[in-house]
């Protein structure tokens, strides 16, 4: 026969265990909803894949043109209207959209803005230069090409997504 040990739990131990368990459940019941509320925006899928209508294909030429476009951006619980710019041109059947943000220090580049360097993107702040396709020119401050937007064409309208590095 197996001998049974005498497991006596005192009244004080029983109350301690019971109150600790009940207190733990109550704390979890209060903390979990607050933690979920704080973490929820992080868990939601971002709007990085959203495409925004920017221009009509008929407007495009082989020369880069500046197009401004706006969209709503939601950061956690705050929604704001954001305006961005793209240099868009057509090369054969392909449509190329480049970000105007210099990859050196974030200044804004312009197309064909410097008489000494025609048909190039030029950053007036630090003398950064880029070829028409966004490639950085050796010997100038930028160390990488201009970022390129994701491009989709639907029913003659050009839609742009997120600008991504060309590297």
């Amino acid at each position: 026969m197996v001998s049974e040990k005498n497991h006596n739990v005192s009244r004080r131990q029983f109350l301690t265990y019971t109150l600790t368990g009940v207190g733990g459940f109550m704390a979890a019941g209060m903390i979990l909803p607050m933690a979920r509320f704080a973490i929820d925006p992080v868990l939601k899928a971002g709007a990085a894949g959203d495409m925004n209508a920017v221009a009509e294909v008929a407007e495009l030429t082989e020369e880069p043109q500046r197009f401004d476009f706006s969209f709503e951006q939601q950061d956690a619980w705050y929604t704001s209207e954001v305006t961005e710019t793209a240099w868009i041109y057509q090369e054969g059947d392909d449509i190329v959209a480049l970000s105007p943000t210099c990859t050196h220090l974030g200044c804004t580049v312009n197309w064909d803005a410097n008489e000494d360097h025609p048909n190039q993107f030029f950053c007036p702040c630090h003398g950064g230069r880029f070829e028409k396709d966004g490639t950085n020119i050796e010997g100038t401050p930028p160390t990488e090409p201009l970022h390129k937007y994701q491009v989709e064409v639907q029913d003659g309208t050009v839609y742009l997504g997120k600008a991504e590095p060309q590297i």
Side-chain angles (χ1 to χ4, degrees), residues 4 26 35 58 65 68 70 77 86 105 143 164:
E4 293 185 24
M26 290 176 63
Q65 298 176 59
D68 295 326
S70 298
W77 299 275
L105 290 176
T143 57
E164 297 176 339

Side-chain angles (χ1 to χ4, degrees), residues 34-106:
M34 288 188 285
R36 175 67 185 185
F37 181 74
I39 295 173
D40 190 49
V42 176
L43 299 177
K44 286 186 179 178
D50 291 346
M51 302 297 275
N52 302 294
V54 177
E56 298 297 320
V57 175
E59 298 177 69
L60 303 180
T61 64
E62 290 184 7
E63 185 90 4
Q65 298 176 59
R66 179 185 172 135
F67 290 93
D68 295 326
F69 59 100
S70 298
F71 58 92
E72 275 193 3
Q73 175 176 298
Q74 185 166 356
D75 296 322
W77 299 275
Y78 180 72
T79 302
S80 61
E81 183 82 14
V82 177
T83 301
E84 289 198 13
T85 301
W87 287 98
I88 307 175
Y89 66 96
Q90 193 164 8
E91 192 160 56
D93 290 336
D94 293 333
I95 295 174
V96 179
L98 299 170
S99 169
T101 305
C102 181
T103 55
H104 175 232
L105 290 176

Side-chain angles (χ1 to χ4, degrees), residues 48-52 69 84 149-152 159-163:
D50 291 346
M51 302 297 275
N52 302 294
F69 59 100
E84 289 198 13
Y149 283 100
Q150 298 170 350
V151 178
E152 281 184 14
Y159 291 85
L160 298 184
K162 184 179 177 186

Side-chain angles (χ1 to χ4, degrees), residues 76-157:
W77 299 275
Y78 180 72
T79 302
S80 61
E81 183 82 14
V82 177
T83 301
E84 289 198 13
T85 301
W87 287 98
I88 307 175
Y89 66 96
Q90 193 164 8
E91 192 160 56
D93 290 336
D94 293 333
I95 295 174
V96 179
L98 299 170
S99 169
T101 305
C102 181
T103 55
H104 175 232
L105 290 176
C107 305
T108 301
V109 300
N110 289 305
W111 172 253
D112 203 19
N114 188 321
E115 295 174 2
D116 297 333
H117 307 288
N119 298 323
Q120 292 180 351
F121 288 103
F122 181 73
C123 176
C125 302
H126 302 100
R129 295 181 305 157
F130 301 88
E131 297 289 350
K132 181 179 176 181
D133 65 355
T135 307
N136 53 311
I137 295 175
E138 287 289 323
T140 63
T143 57
E144 67 177 291
L146 291 173
H147 293 184
K148 197 179 247 187
Y149 283 100
Q150 298 170 350
V151 178
E152 281 184 14
V153 178
Q154 295 176 2
D155 300 326
T157 303

Side-chain angles (χ1 to χ4, degrees), residues 6-21:
N6 192 2
H7 292 286
N8 289 334
V9 177
S10 71
R11 190 178 306 154
R12 183 175 301 217
Q13 287 175 320
F14 174 77
L15 287 174
T16 302
Y17 295 151
T18 304
L19 290 176
T20 301

